[in-house]
C-alpha cells in the first residue's frame, strides 16, 4: 500500500519564542498545538491522534501530556529517536490515518533547554544504562565530539576543508537575516566561523547549532479532509526511516542513516533528486549538512564540501536548504525535526516572505536524531503542494 | 568510597554479561569476541553474536595495537571529571584485529594526534575495580 498523496499536513505553527524562562515545556507544547490547529482551521476536539517524544516528560511521558490537555486519542505514538522524531512521527501518523486508526493527528514539541541552561552538546552524553554506554561514557564523548569525529574523518578521506564547513553556517545566517523570528540575524563570514573558538576539533563554536527554547506543532490529516480546510494541503509523497550504530565495531562512520531513509523516501514518492525544490536538512553541526546531502544522494560521497559552495544552497540557488536559518541561526531547542517540517510547509504554501523559494512544489525533509559518531536515526519525508 | 569521590568520570556498570571482559582488563588483557559459528568479530562484548544470534563465543586476545580511525580534541565538556582535564583526545582506534573502539589517546600532545597514527594500548587502572583501555602513540 502506498501512502503517496493520501495524507497531508493541514496545519503548522512555530512558536515564536527563543527564550521562555517564564513558561513550562507543556505550556509551550499547548501553545504550539493551539497555533497549528488555528492554522488548519480545526479545534482540539478534532484531534484523535497524538505524537510527541515524551522526552523530558518523565516515565510514560506522553500520558502526562494527554492528561494536561485532557486528550483521549485513538492513536498515540511517542517514538523517541532524537531530533528526527517528529519527522518519523509524520510518517507514522500518515500510516495510521491511511489504515483508518485515526483521522487527525497532532504532532507537538516544546522545550525550555535554553532557559534551563541544559548543555545539550557539551555536557557529556545522556544515558548510562545501556550496554553500549559502558564502553563509551568513561572516555568523555560529547554530542559535538561525536559529530566532530565524523568531520575529522571526512576531511582526512576527501580533503574537505574548514572553510567548506563554515560556508554552511554562513548561508544559514544569510537565511536567518530574512527570517524575523530567527535568533541570530547578523551576517557572519567564513573568517568569523574559523576565528570562533574551537569546541571540539575541527568544529568551531559557529559550526555548532545554538541552544534555544522553542516549540512547534503540525496537524496531519487525510488528504480528502485537508482539502476542505483553511490552508493549502502539504501532501506526503514518500517517507523512510533508518538507524545506524557502532555495528559491532565494524561501522563505516561516513555511511549514515540518510542513505537508507532517503532511498526509501525517493522510491516511495516516485520523484528524483532533480525534482526537489527545497531541502530541509538537520543542521546540528555544519558537517551534518554535508554528510547528509551526500548520503541522500544529492552528490557523491566526498563531494559534499564542494557541492554546498557557490551559492547552491542559498534560497535562490540550485538546491535551497534550511531557508529559515536552521539550527545554526534560527532556533534549536534540542530536537529540531519539528522546525524542518514547519519551514517546508511554509515554503510549499508560499508563506515564506522575503526568503520564499520560487516555484517551490516539492520539498525534502531529513531529520537526524542522536549522534552520528555513535548511534543515530534518520527520517526522510518528501512533501509537495501537489497530491502527486 | 574515598577513591570514588576522587574519580569523577562515569564508571562502567558491571553485570553478568560483561564482567569477564572487565576482569580481563583489570589483568591488563584486552579481548575481542568472535562467533564460533559464523566467525563474526565483535566489540563491545555481548552474550550472543549479533549476526547469527549464536551463543557460542571465542574470546580473542588483542595484541593491543592499532591505528587511529578518527578523533577529536575536546575543548569543552562541562561534565564533572572531564572539565578539569581539558583538552583531551577522544578517538576511535581500529585494532589490528579489525574492530573500532571508542577511547582516549593519552601520553602525547593533542597536536601530535593524526588519523592513521599507530597506537598501542595503555591500561589505566582508574579505580581498584576498573581498568580502562586507552591508547598512546606506538613506540
Amino acid at each position: 500500500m502506498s501512502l503517496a498523496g493520501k495524507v497531508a499536513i493541514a496545519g503548522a505553527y512555530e512558536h515564536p519564542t527563543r527564550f521562555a524562562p517564564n513558561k513550562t515545556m507543556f505550556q509551550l507544547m499547548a501553545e504550539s498545538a493551539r497555533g497549528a490547529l488555528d492554522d488548519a482551521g480545526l479545534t482540539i476536539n478534532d484531534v484523535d491522534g497524538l505524537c510527541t517524544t515524551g522526552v523530558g516528560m518523565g516515565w510514560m511521558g506522553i500520558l502526562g501530556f494527554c492528561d494536561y490537555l485532557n486528550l483521549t486519542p485513538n492513536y498515540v505514538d511517542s517514538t523517541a529517536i532524537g531530533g528526527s522524531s517528529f519527522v518519523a512521527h509524520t510518517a507514522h501518523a500518515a500510516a495510521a490515518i491511511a489504515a483508518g486508526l485515526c483521522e487527525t493527528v497532532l504532532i507537538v514539541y516544546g522545550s525550555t533547554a535554553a532557559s534551563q541552561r541544559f548543555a545539550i552538546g557539551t555536557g557529556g552524553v545522556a544515558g548510562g544504562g545501556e550496554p553500549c554506554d559502558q564502553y563509551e561514557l568513561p572516555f568523555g564523548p560529547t554530542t559535538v565530539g561525536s559529530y566532530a569525529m565524523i568531520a575529522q574523518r571526512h576531511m582526512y578521506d576527501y580533503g574537505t576543508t574548514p572553510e567548506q564547513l563554515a560556508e554552511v553556517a554562513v548561508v544559514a545566517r544569510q537565511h536567518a537575516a530574512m527570517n524575523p523570528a530567527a535568533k541570530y540575524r547578523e551576517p557572519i563570514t567564513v573568517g568569523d566561523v574559523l576565528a570562533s573558538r574551537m569546541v571540539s576539533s575541527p568544529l568551531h563554536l559557529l559550526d555548532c547549532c545554538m541552544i534555544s527554547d522553542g516549540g512547534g506543532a503540525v496537524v496531519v490529516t487525510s488528504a480528502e479532509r485537508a482539502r476542505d480546510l483553511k490552508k493549502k494541503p502539504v501532501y506526503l509523497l514518500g517517507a523512510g526511516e533508518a538507524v545506524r550504530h557502532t555495528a559491532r565495531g565494524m561501522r563505516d562512520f561516513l555511511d549514515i542513516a540518510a542513505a537508507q531513509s532517503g532511498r526509501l523516501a525517493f522510491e516511495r514518492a516516485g520523484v528524483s533528486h532533480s525534482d526537489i525544490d527545497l531541502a530541509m536538512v538537520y543542521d546540528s553541526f555544519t558537517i551534518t549538512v554535508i554528510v547528509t546531502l551526500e548520503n541522500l544522494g544529492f552528490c557523491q560521497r566526498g563531494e559534499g564540501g564542494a557541492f554546498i559552495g557557490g551559492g547552491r544552497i542559498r534560497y535562490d540557488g540550485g538546491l535551497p536548504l534550511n531557508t529559515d536559518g536552521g539550527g545554526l541561526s534560527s532556533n534549536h531547542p534540542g530536537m529540531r525535526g519539528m522546525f524542518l517540517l514547519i519551514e517546508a510547509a511554509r515554503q510549499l504554501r508560499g508563506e515564506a516572505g522575503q526568503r520564499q523559494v520560487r516555484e517551490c512544489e516539492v520539498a525534502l525533509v531529513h531529520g537526524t536524531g542522536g549522534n552520528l559518531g555513535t548511534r543515530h536515526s534518520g527520517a526522510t519525508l518528501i512533501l509537495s503542494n501537489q497530491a502527486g | 568510597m574515598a577513591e570514588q569521590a576522587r574519580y569523577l568520570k562515569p564508571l562502567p556498570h558491571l553485570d553478568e554479561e560483561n564482567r569477564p571482559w572487565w576482569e580481563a582488563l583489570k589483568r591488563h588483557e584486552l579481548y575481542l569476541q568472535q562467533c564460533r559459528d559464523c566467525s563474526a568479530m565483535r566489540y563491545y562484548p555481548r552474550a550472543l553474536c549479533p549476526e547469527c544470534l549464536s551463543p557460542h563465543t571465542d574470546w580473542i586476545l588483542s595484541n593491543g595495537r592499532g591505528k587511529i580511525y578518527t578523533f577529536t580534541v575536546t575543548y569543552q565538556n562541562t561534565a564533572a571529571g572531564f572539565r578539569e582535564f581539558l583538552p583531551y583526545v577522544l578517538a576511535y582506534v581500529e585494532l589490528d584485529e579489525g574492530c573500532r573502539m571508542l577511547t582516549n589517546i593519552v601520553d602525547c600532545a593533542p597536536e601530535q594526534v593524526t588519523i592513521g597514527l599507530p597506537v598501542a594500548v595503555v591500561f589505566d587502572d582508574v579505580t581498584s575495580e576498573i581498568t580502562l583501555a586507552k591508547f598512546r602513540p606506538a613506540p
Side-chain angles (χ1 to χ4, degrees), chain A residues 88-110:
Chain A
H89 290 161
T90 304
H92 300 180
I97 292 164
L101 300 181
C102 53
E103 187 176 23
T104 300
V105 178
L106 171 68
I107 305 173
V108 62
Y109 173 49

Side-chain angles (χ1 to χ4, degrees), chain A:
Chain A
M1 182 182 74
S2 168
L3 287 174
K6 290 185 177 153
V7 173
I9 295 173
Y13 179 78
E14 177 181 320
H15 202 294
T17 191
R18 299 295 186 266
F19 190 64
N22 55 341
K23 294 192 175 183
T24 65
M25 179 177 74
F26 276 17
Q27 183 179 359
L28 290 176
M29 292 173 71
E31 289 175 358
S32 299
R34 185 177 60 200
L37 290 163
D38 283 349
D39 186 59
L42 292 169
T43 74
I44 192 70
N45 297 320
D46 294 306
V47 172
D48 66 351
L50 177 71
C51 298
T52 192
T53 63
V55 172
M57 301 179 202
W59 176 233
M60 298 186 286
I62 198 170
L63 298 186
F65 189 70
C66 289
D67 192 291
Y68 182 90
L69 277 191
N70 193 25
L71 291 171
T72 55
N74 297 324
Y75 176 80
V76 289
D77 178 353
S78 54
T79 296
I81 51 175
S84 62
S85 297
F86 310 103
V87 182
H89 290 161
T90 304
H92 300 180
I97 292 164
L101 300 181
C102 53
E103 187 176 23
T104 300
V105 178
L106 171 68
I107 305 173
V108 62
Y109 173 49
S111 162
T112 53
S115 51
Q116 292 179 356
R117 302 189 60 77
F118 181 59
I120 296 168
T122 57
V125 174
E130 295 180 28
C132 47
D133 295 329
Q134 313 318 315
Y135 309 91
E136 296 173 359
L137 299 192
F139 302 106
T142 63
T143 297
V144 55
S146 170
Y147 286 81
M149 290 193 293
I150 299 296
Q152 197 80 257
R153 185 72 203 188
H154 202 276
M155 289 172 155
Y156 176 82
D157 282 346
Y158 302 114
T160 306
T161 66
E163 289 79 6
Q164 289 173 327
L165 295 178
E167 181 68 14
V168 176
V170 169
V171 174
R173 191 61 62 89
Q174 290 168 355
H175 290 157
M178 295 183 281
N179 176 6
K183 183 164 177 181
Y184 297 118
R185 303 183 63 206
E186 291 297 310
I188 55 171
T189 65
V190 166
D192 292 334
V193 178
L194 301 188
S196 64
R197 72 184 162 83
M198 197 67 88
V199 178
S200 197
S201 68
L203 298 180
H204 304 80
L205 182 66
L206 292 179
D207 285 302
C208 305
C209 62
M210 72 182 78
I211 301 171
S212 70
D213 291 342
V218 296
V219 179
V220 178
T221 192
S222 66
E224 193 180 8
R225 184 159 200 218
R227 280 191 276 272
D228 294 333
L229 295 176
K230 210 162 100 185
K231 290 288 180 69
K232 193 172 180 178
V234 171
Y235 298 98
L236 174 64
L237 299 188
E241 61 191 59
V243 172
R244 290 289 185 279
H245 43 64
T246 58
R248 63 180 168 84
M250 301 295 180
R251 168 96 184 280
D252 167 4
F253 281 90
L254 299 185
D255 168 64
I256 70 166
Q260 181 179 338
S261 66
R263 178 177 51 75
L264 291 169
F266 275 109
E267 280 174 11
R268 290 165 178 170
V271 305
S272 64
H273 291 80
S274 61
D275 295 318
I276 302 298
D277 301 311
L278 167 73
M280 291 300 302
V281 170
Y282 206 121
D283 61 341
S284 46
F285 303 94
T286 52
I287 185 61
T288 318
V289 170
I290 287 173
V291 76
T292 303
L293 287 173
E294 291 175 3
N295 277 265
L296 288 171
F298 284 101
C299 59
Q300 294 295 309
R301 178 160 156 166
E303 293 179 355
F307 181 81
I308 57 89
R312 181 181 261 128
I313 59 172
R314 279 173 49 96
Y315 80 108
D316 55 359
L319 184 67
L321 179 129
N322 297 352
T323 45
D324 61 341
L328 292 165
S329 285
S330 179
N331 65 339
H332 190 281
M335 296 189 286
R336 195 168 194 277
M338 175 60 72
F339 307 108
L340 306 176
L341 292 167
I342 294 170
E343 176 71 0
R346 285 191 292 242
Q347 287 282 3
L348 291 168
R349 290 164 166 183
E351 296 174 349
Q354 200 188 344
R355 63 183 191 276
Q356 178 64 46
V357 172
R358 291 181 62 192
E359 295 172 22
C360 187
E361 286 190 6
V362 182
L364 175 142
V365 170
H366 180 82
T368 298
N371 295 317
L372 287 188
T374 52
R375 285 160 295 289
H376 71 279
S377 62
T380 312
L381 301 179
I382 294 178
L383 304 171
S384 177
N385 52 23
Q386 309 295 319

Side-chain angles (χ1 to χ4, degrees), chain A residues 140 149 197 201 248 251 373, chain B residues 41 70 72 76 88 92 100:
Chain A
M149 290 193 293
R197 72 184 162 83
S201 68
R248 63 180 168 84
R251 168 96 184 280
Chain B
M41 298 284 293
T70 191
T72 182
Q76 186 177 339
Y88 63 89
Y92 275 104
R100 292 169 183 162

